[in-house]
Amino acid sequence: MHYPFYSGKKFEEYLVESLDKIGTKKIALIHDIDSLRFNESVVFGDINGEVEYLNKYDLVISHNPSMTKLLIDKGLKSKIVNIGLFDYLIDDKKTNSNGYLYKNKITFAGNLNKSPFLSKLTVTDGIDFDVFGNINDSSSINKTLTYNGSVSPEVLSQKLGKGYGLVWDGESLEKPSGMIGNYLLYNNPYKASSYLSAGMPLIVWDKSAISKFVKENNIGISVSNIKDLSKELSLVSADEFNEMCKNAFEVSKSLKNGLYTISAVDSAIDKLG
């Protein structure tokens, strides 16, 4: 079962009880923990309510070790495995066209209304910063950034593929802020999978949950803040950037074929015996 699936507490609990009666093994694949993202779940209230419901499953597929630790600390008793990264299924035969020529290029894509840091972020000459997404007032985006409007996921996938993809949220350049920003401490952002599917290395917050995955796989850089991106990029050599692009492209092959989900489900079935 996907979690959450927003059908109401009464129905969701009835479904689990009905499956128990016929001896079905139940696996919950967590997409989001809404009490961490929005302060409460519309169905189960606070984090304790969400964990109480997840304990009705035999096994939970969590995002990563950071989310897993939090859930266990909050009382999760179900067996658990980590997915590592969310897949991004697209029929894309792109070759790896990223490389050192684009080591000073950055892209940020998504719902720009929840990313007000874009009004404060200034990039210097030599840094090419592209922005894609929906926003109520495009004039609020700093003039040193290039706003390219809102495009469909299909069009965006064709435009991505050069330089880094930035994963950041909130108002501050010092660190991701607010509930959405702090959620990066625990979640695997779909934004990261979008960039990686295009073979782009990531720029991530060094305290984010995904930072460990980025470091272990050498698919980007982790930074404490984004006040001076030009300085951060200058610390990466052309050879280092090329290696990150190569690694990101290898990850993209797995993402586009659903291999992270397949592996997590296989591990879950093995663990359930």
Side-chain angles (χ1 to χ4, degrees):
M1 301 298 299
H2 296 282
Y3 178 82
F5 60 102
Y6 304 113
S7 294
K9 184 176 181 180
K10 185 175 181 179
F11 172 80
E12 292 178 32
E13 291 183 340
Y14 173 77
L15 176 61
V16 168
E17 291 168 3
S18 299
L19 293 172
D20 283 338
K21 288 178 181 178
I22 57 174
T24 303
K25 295 290 186 182
K26 306 176 301 302
I27 299 171
L29 171 58
I30 295 175
H31 290 275
D32 281 303
I33 300 293
D34 281 347
S35 56
L36 297 178
R37 191 164 61 141
F38 302 128
N39 203 33
E40 69 174 0
S41 160
V42 296
V43 180
F44 297 106
D46 62 14
I47 184 67
N48 297 315
E50 293 202 78
V51 168
E52 181 181 356
Y53 175 71
L54 289 170
N55 271 331
K56 298 178 184 294
Y57 286 82
D58 300 285
L59 186 141
V60 169
I61 299 177
S62 174
H63 290 200
N64 53 61
S66 296
M67 179 177 284
T68 294
K69 181 180 184 305
L70 176 74
L71 293 173
I72 291 173
D73 288 346
K74 294 296 183 179
L76 185 71
K77 305 298 182 185
S78 303
K79 294 179 180 179
I80 194 163
V81 300
N82 296 314
I83 195 168
L85 200 65
F86 279 109
D87 292 308
Y88 199 89
L89 303 183
I90 53 174
D91 184 15
D92 181 7
K93 308 301 182 187
K94 277 183 183 177
T95 57
N96 188 9
S97 58
N98 207 357
Y100 73 94
L101 292 175
Y102 304 102
K103 71 179 293 293
N104 290 324
K105 181 177 179 63
I106 302 171
T107 295
F108 184 83
N111 180 358
L112 307 183
N113 289 314
K114 66 184 184 72
S115 304
F117 74 87
L118 293 169
S119 67
K120 305 174 184 177
L121 180 61
T122 301
V123 296
T124 57
D125 290 344
I127 302 295
D128 183 10
F129 196 114
D130 280 336
V131 178
F132 295 89
N134 182 54
I135 189 168
N136 294 334
D137 180 12
S138 61
S139 67
S140 65
I141 298 173
N142 191 284
K143 299 305 180 186
T144 64
L145 315 181
T146 302
Y147 178 55
N148 297 283
S150 179
V151 298
S152 69
E154 293 76 20
V155 172
L156 181 62
S157 69
Q158 296 303 312
K159 292 182 176 292
L160 295 180
K162 302 288 194 301
Y164 294 94
L166 174 64
V167 181
W168 203 266
D169 270 314
E171 295 186 5
S172 176
L173 304 181
E174 300 281 351
K175 65 175 185 177
S177 58
M179 294 295 295
I180 295 293
N182 288 334
Y183 192 41
L184 292 174
L185 291 167
Y186 307 107
N187 79 323
N188 291 346
Y190 287 108
K191 191 190 305 293
S193 296
S194 173
Y195 297 140
L196 287 169
S197 72
M200 300 169 69
L202 307 178
I203 300 175
V204 301
W205 182 31
D206 60 3
K207 293 182 175 59
S208 65
I210 203 170
S211 176
K212 183 178 180 181
F213 186 94
V214 169
K215 291 175 183 176
E216 289 177 346
N217 292 277
N218 190 24
I219 53 171
I221 60 175
S222 299
V223 300
S224 61
N225 64 72
I226 54 171
K227 291 187 296 183
D228 191 354
L229 286 172
S230 59
K231 178 182 177 182
E232 298 291 349
L233 299 194
S234 70
L235 299 175
V236 180
S237 70
D239 287 343
E240 289 171 334
F241 184 72
N242 280 342
E243 184 66 22
M244 289 189 292
C245 290
K246 177 183 175 182
N247 295 337
F249 189 70
E250 289 303 309
V251 169
S252 78
K253 296 177 183 178
S254 297
L255 287 176
K256 290 185 287 190
N257 288 288
L259 296 187
Y260 285 95
T261 304
I262 291 170
S263 177
V265 172
D266 284 347
S267 296
I269 292 172
D270 288 344
K271 204 161 187 175
L272 289 176

